[in-house]
Amino acid sequence: MPEINIDRSLSFMEGTQRVLDETSTLEKTKDNLKSIGVTRIASITDLDRLGIPVFSSIRPSAAEGAISVYSGKGSTETQARISSMMEGFERCLAEKSGINENVKDEIQSIHIVDSYENITKENHAVNPPSLLIAENYNPNALIEWVQGWDLLKNEETFVPANSIYHPYEAPGRTLKLFRSNTNGLAAGNTVEEAIFHGLLEVIERDALSIAEFNRNPGKEIILTEEDGKNYEILRKFTDNEVDVKLWALPHDTEITTVVATTDDIRLKDAALLVMGAGAHLNPEIAVRRALTEAAQSRVVQIHGAREDTEREKFVREIGYDRIKRMNIYWYEDGEKTSMSELKDLSKTTPAESIDVIIEQLKKVTDSTVVVDLSRESIAVPVVRVVIPTFEMYTLDRERVGKRAKSSPRKKMAPQERPWRKGRRR
């Protein structure tokens, strides 16, 4: 794979963290939707009483094992529409060309089948155990590899294809290391924008995984009228009898990750005990992403069209009271903080923003690999970011690393356990 050269001449639009405005982004992306098999985009905002914009994109040609309904959120309808469209590009270009019905051209990266023992004799490669594999692993086993670019080491590095493509089935006699997922997939107006958002997603999932594993949500963020747009979005929940807790998650970096947990006190529906998360160098944007994603999570549960939302039946069988007890740490009062106390690390260009993240990541890991999944036939860049040792618990309960296990863990009290229906007599 060619070296990823970050264009340092690009700047964010004033007041945003995007290189193009919403109208330009929409114009650029919509002409490519047919090329990736998206047949319909629709607002599903009105399915919920909150009125926070949520859109869905439909791609019937999605590969087996992938979902075909994608969701997007935002504080405006245009943002939500773009968000759902971008997820379509991410999901499509994460499919290997052999199973992708819409896009036939390959990515530019080299693919190799070899063992870790052999490939590291002449190349740099990510050691599979650093990706928190749950299965027994033999370093002499054959693995399919994809060449990427390590942003921390500035060198070409091979990573298991299992961590790049989704869905993924190991070819021939090669080893499948874990269930594939979409963590670190990101699309953008430019490859720099995609890398920036891919990095933030992996950090977000890492922070959330550590918080969930240890039942430690961090500090509770209290918004006031002075917080402007975010306070207005929060009021759309609370004015409609949906309680919200905002949490600034603890993390090994200074990058803000926020979780918004919601409780519909009018309906008391177990399926609507949902959350949203957002990480960003600008805490204000992190909060907005968490709130709008929580709204998206509500609508997706109500809509019931996505193939990856089978939790509805499960949680309703357990019941509202027991599900809330099981996750009580998200709903209890916590140590308070305000927006002014959260550190703003934001910059005015994608290159500077990526630099900030890299410096933060150096505190935690020695490798951060980007694989460019863009295709010549599609004008929207897509990347996959892989950060070894970063946690996956929120996506895959079997993949828990040392960083999560080394943090203090709050045990679940007997009365909080979901299977507890009542005291024995």
Side-chain angles (χ1 to χ4, degrees), residues 183-318:
N183 190 32
L185 266 180
N189 289 299
T190 65
V191 72
E192 292 82 6
E193 193 177 282
I195 290 170
F196 176 50
H197 292 288
L199 288 166
L200 289 172
E201 179 169 277
V202 179
I203 292 166
E204 171 199 308
R205 300 276 173 76
D206 179 71
L208 180 55
S209 293
I210 294 171
E212 284 195 316
F213 182 79
N214 293 297
R215 301 172 62 78
N216 176 17
K219 293 183 178 181
E220 183 181 354
I221 304 169
I222 303 300
L223 298 185
T224 68
E225 290 185 18
E226 294 180 358
D227 294 309
K229 184 64 176 179
N230 284 340
Y231 183 74
E232 292 175 15
I233 296 172
L234 177 65
R235 286 293 301 268
K236 290 186 177 183
F237 288 89
T238 56
D239 288 351
N240 283 284
E241 299 178 271
V242 178
D243 282 349
V244 178
K245 289 280 190 180
L246 285 168
W247 299 97
L249 303 185
H251 198 245
D252 298 328
T253 72
E254 296 178 286
I255 297 168
T256 300
T257 296
V258 175
V259 164
T261 55
T262 68
D263 179 7
D264 193 319
I265 55 177
R266 181 193 297 179
L267 299 180
K268 294 190 180 297
D269 185 344
L272 296 180
L273 289 166
V274 296
M275 65 170 57
H280 207 278
L281 300 182
N282 184 332
E284 182 181 338
I285 296 176
V287 168
R288 192 164 307 167
R289 286 186 172 180
L291 286 169
T292 55
E293 187 170 281
Q296 174 183 288
S297 297
R298 280 178 56 88
V299 176
V300 166
Q301 289 299 313
I302 295 165
H303 191 211
R306 284 179 62 137
E307 299 94 327
D308 60 348
T309 56
E310 296 178 356
R311 69 181 284 275
E312 178 183 359
K313 181 180 177 182
F314 170 74
V315 298
R316 282 181 172 144
E317 285 178 352
I318 292 176

Side-chain angles (χ1 to χ4, degrees), residues 34 50-51 59 77 104 106 114 140 182 222 228 248 272-273 286 299 336 350 378 420:
K34 186 179 292 186
L50 302 186
R59 180 173 168 255
E77 286 202 351
K104 303 304 180 185
E106 300 272 2
D114 207 340
N140 290 306
T182 61
I222 303 300
L272 296 180
L273 289 166
V299 176
K336 305 296 190 289
I378 306 295
R420 179 185 172 92

Side-chain angles (χ1 to χ4, degrees), residues 32-53:
N32 286 270
L33 290 174
K34 186 179 292 186
S35 300
I36 62 168
V38 170
T39 59
R40 184 168 178 261
I41 299 173
S43 172
I44 52 176
T45 307
D46 291 343
L47 294 177
D48 194 9
R49 64 183 189 272
L50 302 186
I52 297 172

Side-chain angles (χ1 to χ4, degrees), residues 4-150:
I4 292 181
N5 292 304
I6 304 298
D7 186 347
R8 306 199 75 85
S9 69
L10 291 173
S11 295
F12 291 131
M13 297 288 295
E14 186 175 354
T16 77
Q17 294 284 289
R18 297 285 184 181
V19 300
L20 295 178
D21 61 31
E22 293 176 14
T23 302
S24 300
T25 299
L26 191 60
E27 288 298 315
K28 178 180 179 178
T29 53
K30 70 179 184 180
D31 292 339
N32 286 270
L33 290 174
K34 186 179 292 186
S35 300
I36 62 168
V38 170
T39 59
R40 184 168 178 261
I41 299 173
S43 172
I44 52 176
T45 307
D46 291 343
L47 294 177
D48 194 9
R49 64 183 189 272
L50 302 186
I52 297 172
V54 180
F55 273 67
S56 69
S57 296
I58 315 299
R59 180 173 168 255
S61 56
E64 184 178 354
I67 65 171
S68 60
V69 181
Y70 315 125
S71 303
K73 77 285 184 185
S75 54
T76 68
E77 286 202 351
T78 302
Q79 288 176 3
R81 184 185 292 271
I82 292 170
S83 177
S84 73
M85 290 162 56
M86 287 298 192
E87 186 173 349
F89 287 102
E90 294 166 9
R91 296 301 184 106
C92 177
L93 298 191
E95 296 174 2
K96 295 182 74 172
S97 59
I99 64 171
N100 193 321
E101 288 190 18
N102 306 109
V103 181
K104 303 304 180 185
D105 48 329
E106 300 272 2
I107 67 172
Q108 294 184 21
S109 295
I110 297 169
H111 291 62
I112 294 176
V113 172
D114 207 340
S115 68
Y116 177 75
E117 256 332 289
N118 282 334
I119 200 171
T120 51
K121 290 177 181 178
E122 298 182 359
N123 303 279
H124 300 289
V126 170
N127 195 0
S130 71
L131 301 177
L132 315 183
I133 57 178
E135 304 297 326
N136 292 329
Y137 165 70
N138 180 347
N140 290 306
L142 290 178
I143 293 173
E144 183 182 18
W145 302 86
V146 179
Q147 195 174 50
W149 183 257
D150 194 320

